[in-house]
Amino acid sequence: MQYANSLHEYRKELKQALAHEFQRKALENFTSSYRKSRDGYFADCSLEEIIQDIGLAKDSSLKQFEALYQRFKAKAEAMGVQVHLARNDREANEIISEIAAENQCRRVVKTKSMTAEEVKLSDFLQEKGLEVTECDLGEWIIQLREEVPSHMVLPAIHVSKEEVGKLFSTVTGHTQSTDIQSLVKVARRELRQKFIEADMGISGSNFVIAETGTLGMVTNEGNLRLATTLPRVHVALVGVDKLVPTLKEALPILKGLPRNATGQSISSYVTWITGANDCLAAPEGKKIMHVVFLDNGRLALARDPVFSQALRCVRCGACANVCPVYRLVGGHVYGHVYIGPIGLILTYFFHGREKDKFLAQNCLNCQACKAVCVAGIDLPRLIKEIQAVIQADEPRPALNTGLATVLTRRKLFHSLLWSGKYLQKPIQGRSKYLRHLPQFLLGDQDFKALPALAGKPFRDRWEDLKPRVTRPRYRIAIFSGCLQDFVYPEHLEQFVRLMAGRDIAVEFPKDQGCCGLPVLMLGEKEAARQIARHNLRALDPSQYDAIITLCASCGSHLKENYPYIIGRRQGVGVKVRQFADKIMDVSSFLRNVAQLESNLFAASGPRTAYHAPCHLCRGLQVKDAPRELLTLAGLEYVPNPDEETCCGLGGTYSMKFPELSASIVQDKLERIEALDVAYLVTDCPGCVMQLKGTVETEQRRLTVLHMVEALARQLKT
């Protein structure tokens, strides 16, 4: 597989994928229907329990892979199975090639296996002169097209029925229709002969039970059973991470995998193979059976305190199904072998830094993958860690160096922002937006109008705005974030207005700086740590009942990441935990603590849609408060299924991948505009900038507001 040699080259590949109209439509249709079917099939069970059970089972197993391997080996070999351990891809391929040679195998049928894709087994065997046929329908299609899978579960999702019809016409020598059922019959007819003629069948395995020497396989096509029964030789190639002690640990995987992969309560076929079975085609009437376990870094990965949880992956592909980036461009440019968010992590360990260094940057940090992972893997955090690891081995880009230098020096940063209001005048004009930016400075951001810096930041307005409360019920601090301090100070002003007469003392510690999320997203972990320590000193949590943020991204970062990046240093670890516990988003505070009353607001208001910031609905797990506030304030709230779909900003992501950022926000706005609403409300200034700036550029009839702006508009006085 080819891979990009530069970020510029990788962006060219992304642009080509964006232009693949059928793929985009197919992925959009699939990912939309997937969410509904998945939710339906998890309705009859506890998703939280399944996630916990799979996580515990996999974590327990990865601590004892070597022992489980020896246990399986002893049990399986007592039943006539030969068991091998391959240290790397080359060893795995050579072992299987030798098995073929020893048994005079010339024709091979192979079922779908990501592990086999990982080691490029088919290519290796074909170079040795063997005829290898992929017998999964999707895999056979992409084999004939000389491609690699674009999805772990649906490898040919990017191929239209018209393209398949032409392909099958070429293969069979007869014109084929584009009717899907007819094409399936063609595949069945062509492949059936391959099963009959095959000397060897190759499979993977979804879980391997050490106690009984059993392979467990989950499929939706009958080809696996044909491939593992008809040929006289069966070879199973599996990663050592598929080992579990007993059936008890395998059953949660069996319960969660089909639901999360394809939205089924159980797959069409669940196959268990224990020992070498009877086989009339074999010389002694017994199947010649081998199990090849692949290490390829897994044993070392299992001992890593941070990345070991990546081995929980059950290969359901759900993280790709909900990923906004995958939805746009597909797996051929959003993965190497393993696609989607989990691929951004595994590619580094299984295929190296060069193949992952641009892929790993292509993450919005929207956390959709974490929310859908049935194994409970914290995928966004691991992706950020991979970025940091890769960055440590690379020359630091100018963007990284510049941001890390500036953001870790609060006074320098704020001085630059103060100066910026004068420097921006030649490109601002008379509006609140910048007319244009020089090409060398975010020139690709022209899909949205970028806001100008405010003439007077919030920190310079604070003394005139500060409420005077003599006997407060609560004492709170505002964490402003950069955007609302220097770009959207009106958001903070409206919040202070909403606090009027509520006996709540509001403080604004002026030594606070940037939250640090932008540098963490660039892999600058040490800079993020320095910023966190500074803010911890600036806002002592013991002085406040709550620390309120009007930025969901800041709030999620302060609450989730600060304890993680600062660590457990004596004293500081306790203080940062206290700090994180005091963080509260503005909607939750206004609804549940300040308890705004409906009589403060007008009885009715415009039709209003809501955009849930990723870091609010998934990071902070806040769902109900914003929607309840809209109704409380008299706005006609109009729900929509895309409320929790990312707007495409992703902080610095929009700078690196503007084409994807633009496509995501434009698609979202089209769907919202179809609701015939006047307002689009959100809880994050970054989302406001992305949505409002795009609305301005495209002149859409939609008013984008921060939650506090929408509430303030509805106030009676």
Side-chain angles (χ1 to χ4, degrees):
M1 183 189 296
Q2 297 295 315
Y3 58 94
N5 294 310
S6 67
L7 184 60
H8 176 72
E9 188 176 315
Y10 181 48
R11 281 183 58 190
K12 286 178 63 176
E13 294 176 2
L14 292 171
K15 289 178 183 178
Q16 291 173 357
L18 279 172
H20 192 328
E21 292 185 11
F22 172 80
Q23 175 176 266
R24 284 189 64 174
K25 188 65 176 177
L27 292 175
E28 182 178 342
N29 291 340
F30 167 68
T31 53
S32 296
S33 62
Y34 166 80
R35 289 197 298 266
K36 298 175 184 177
S37 60
R38 176 187 183 270
D39 292 345
Y41 280 105
F42 273 116
D44 63 347
C45 57
S46 172
L47 175 57
E48 291 74 18
E49 286 184 12
I50 292 175
I51 292 172
Q52 183 179 37
D53 290 346
I54 292 176
L56 289 172
K58 297 289 277 186
D59 285 351
S60 173
S61 298
L62 65 85
K63 295 175 183 176
Q64 49 179 327
F65 280 157
E66 291 94 335
L68 290 175
Y69 166 74
Q70 293 298 336
R71 189 177 177 188
F72 176 89
K73 180 178 174 70
K75 191 70 178 180
E77 290 186 341
M79 296 183 291
V81 179
Q82 296 184 56
V83 181
H84 315 260
L85 178 62
R87 291 174 297 177
N88 51 47
D89 52 357
R90 184 76 186 181
E91 279 192 12
N93 289 336
E94 288 177 346
I95 289 169
I96 296 172
S97 175
E98 288 169 5
I99 294 169
E102 289 170 3
N103 294 281
Q104 293 82 49
C105 297
R106 304 304 305 166
R107 297 182 178 89
V108 177
V109 285
K110 177 179 160 294
T111 66
K112 190 166 72 65
S113 164
M114 289 307 301
T115 310
E117 292 288 346
E118 177 185 331
V119 302
K120 299 181 175 59
L121 176 61
S122 294
D123 293 344
F124 186 89
L125 295 180
Q126 287 171 337
E127 289 173 3
K128 293 289 185 179
L130 279 76
E131 177 190 300
V132 181
T133 303
E134 298 283 352
C135 55
D136 171 270
L137 176 56
E139 292 281 350
W140 188 51
I141 290 170
I142 64 170
Q143 181 187 32
L144 294 174
R145 287 168 60 93
E146 298 183 348
E147 292 179 342
V148 294
S150 62
H151 190 283
M152 283 196 281
V153 177
L154 305 165
I157 191 173
H158 61 291
V159 186
S160 70
K161 62 182 180 180
E162 289 77 16
E163 290 174 308
V164 175
K166 291 179 181 178
L167 181 68
F168 283 8
S169 297
T170 301
V171 170
T172 62
H174 301 285
T175 302
Q176 304 295 339
S177 75
T178 58
D179 175 70
I180 293 176
Q181 292 303 317
S182 298
L183 293 172
V184 171
K185 289 179 181 179
V186 171
R188 184 180 294 123
R189 183 180 66 246
E190 295 294 319
L191 289 173
R192 189 59 55 91
Q193 190 63 31
K194 298 294 184 181
F195 289 119
I196 294 171
E197 296 173 350
D199 308 299
M200 175 188 285
I202 298 175
S203 74
S205 183
N206 295 99
F207 26 77
V208 180
I209 301 172
E211 181 183 53
T212 56
T214 301
L215 303 177
M217 289 158 280
V218 179
T219 61
N220 275 320
E221 298 178 21
N223 62 74
L224 181 136
R225 290 186 175 178
L226 290 170
T228 57
T229 55
L230 289 180
R232 54 191 168 85
V233 179
H234 172 210
V235 177
L237 173 63
V238 295
V240 293
D241 53 307
K242 300 301 178 66
L243 280 159
V244 293
T246 68
L247 180 63
K248 179 182 177 182
E249 289 80 17
L251 290 179
I253 302 172
L254 181 58
K255 195 172 185 179
L257 174 57
R259 286 176 166 85
N260 224 41
T262 51
Q264 300 168 276
S265 57
I266 194 165
S267 59
S268 302
Y269 300 91
V270 178
T271 302
W272 306 92
I273 299 177
T274 305
N277 300 315
D278 293 340
C279 178
L280 295 179
E284 298 180 6
K286 278 283 186 182
K287 175 78 67 178
I288 301 168
M289 185 173 175
H290 295 255
V291 178
V292 180
F293 284 97
L294 177 67
D295 175 4
N296 205 28
R298 288 167 171 81
L299 295 177
L301 189 56
R303 294 188 288 271
D304 188 283
V306 174
F307 293 108
S308 58
Q309 64 172 286
L311 293 176
R312 293 181 191 170
C313 180
V314 298
R315 306 294 191 266
C316 65
C319 58
N321 298 347
V322 299
C323 176
V325 178
Y326 176 81
R327 181 175 179 170
L328 284 177
V329 298
H332 287 156
V333 292
Y334 197 53
H336 178 66
V337 170
Y338 293 100
I339 58 90
I342 188 64
L344 271 58
I345 302 160
L346 296 181
T347 296
Y348 176 81
F349 293 105
F350 295 162
H351 298 105
R353 184 182 71 246
E354 289 301 312
K355 297 178 179 64
D356 198 37
K357 63 183 181 181
F358 305 121
L359 290 175
Q361 298 176 44
N362 199 359
C363 172
L364 277 159
N365 194 36
C366 70
Q367 302 195 31
C369 53
K370 177 182 177 181
V372 81
C373 180
V374 78
I377 305 171
D378 192 347
L379 290 160
R381 186 178 302 285
L382 295 190
I383 293 169
K384 287 195 286 283
E385 291 289 343
I386 282 290
Q387 291 172 344
V389 170
I390 293 173
Q391 189 62 46
D393 294 332
E394 295 284 327
R396 292 174 72 196
L399 177 63
N400 291 47
T401 305
L403 272 182
T405 300
V406 171
L407 295 186
T408 54
R409 294 163 173 81
R410 199 274 303 173
K411 291 183 178 180
L412 170 63
F413 178 45
H414 287 170
S415 296
L416 291 173
L417 290 175
W418 267 307
S419 303
K421 66 184 179 182
Y422 301 109
L423 296 174
Q424 71 186 358
K425 286 186 177 181
I427 57 173
Q428 180 182 356
R430 296 180 181 179
S431 75
K432 293 183 178 180
Y433 296 95
L434 302 178
R435 287 201 306 264
H436 65 275
L437 285 174
Q439 186 63 36
F440 72 90
L441 183 62
L442 309 182
D444 291 330
Q445 300 296 306
D446 57 359
F447 67 90
K448 64 173 180 276
L450 292 173
L453 291 166
K456 189 175 184 180
F458 179 76
R459 61 183 53 241
D460 290 351
R461 308 179 189 195
W462 173 242
E463 290 305 319
D464 295 331
L465 296 169
K466 183 177 180 180
R468 269 59 179 179
V469 182
T470 55
R471 301 182 64 181
R473 293 182 297 126
Y474 298 103
R475 186 176 299 278
I476 66 172
I478 296 174
F479 185 89
S480 64
C482 310
L483 272 177
Q484 284 169 321
D485 193 353
F486 287 89
V487 179
Y488 299 118
E490 62 270 19
H491 296 175
L492 299 170
E493 285 190 351
Q494 299 293 9
F495 171 69
V496 174
R497 181 184 172 196
L498 290 167
M499 290 296 97
R502 310 208 70 81
D503 297 328
I504 296 173
V506 183
E507 299 290 340
F508 179 71
K510 289 192 175 182
D511 197 37
Q512 63 180 281
C514 172
C515 70
L517 182 59
V519 287
L520 186 64
M521 286 300 296
L522 289 173
E524 297 290 335
K525 199 171 177 182
E526 181 52 39
R529 187 176 291 115
Q530 290 180 39
I531 293 169
R533 289 173 180 159
H534 172 88
N535 285 325
L536 192 60
R537 291 191 297 270
L539 292 96
D540 187 339
S542 66
Q543 303 301 307
Y544 310 106
D545 296 303
I547 300 170
I548 309 303
T549 176
L550 282 69
C551 175
S553 297
C554 289
S556 177
H557 181 59
L558 298 172
K559 196 173 188 71
E560 291 186 290
N561 293 333
Y562 270 29
Y564 182 78
I565 60 180
I566 288 181
R568 300 180 179 178
R569 290 178 53 204
Q570 188 173 6
V572 177
V574 175
K575 185 63 74 173
V576 75
R577 186 67 265 169
Q578 294 171 337
F579 177 87
D581 289 343
K582 294 287 178 73
I583 299 298
M584 184 178 294
D585 70 283
V586 68
S587 284
S588 295
F589 178 76
L590 293 174
R591 182 73 181 99
N592 303 323
V593 180
Q595 296 182 330
L596 300 181
E597 303 90 359
S598 60
N599 59 15
L600 295 172
F601 303 100
S604 63
R607 284 171 59 86
T608 301
Y610 179 66
H611 165 66
C614 301
H615 293 107
L616 186 69
C617 63
R618 288 184 284 272
L620 295 174
Q621 294 294 308
V622 173
K623 303 277 187 177
D624 299 330
R627 296 160 176 87
E628 291 173 356
L629 279 177
L630 294 175
T631 303
L632 179 77
L635 293 164
E636 187 183 347
Y637 165 51
V638 181
N640 74 88
D642 289 308
E643 283 182 354
E644 296 186 358
T645 301
C646 183
C647 71
L649 177 69
T652 52
Y653 180 89
S654 181
M655 301 179 195
K656 286 191 173 183
F657 302 103
E659 301 86 1
L660 300 186
S661 180
S663 294
I664 292 170
V665 69
Q666 288 160 359
D667 288 350
K668 184 175 185 74
L669 286 172
E670 283 181 13
R671 292 190 290 270
I672 290 172
E673 206 168 42
L675 300 172
D676 190 28
V677 294
Y679 288 176
L680 173 59
V681 177
T682 186
D683 284 83
C684 184
C687 298
V688 169
M689 182 173 70
Q690 177 84 339
L691 295 165
K692 192 172 185 176
T694 309
V695 165
E696 174 73 15
T697 298
E698 299 181 355
Q699 298 183 331
R700 294 179 180 268
R701 291 180 295 176
L702 193 64
T703 300
V704 179
L705 300 169
H706 191 281
M707 176 63 73
V708 293
E709 291 182 294
L711 297 178
R713 286 192 177 201
Q714 287 293 103
L715 286 172
K716 288 179 180 177
T717 56

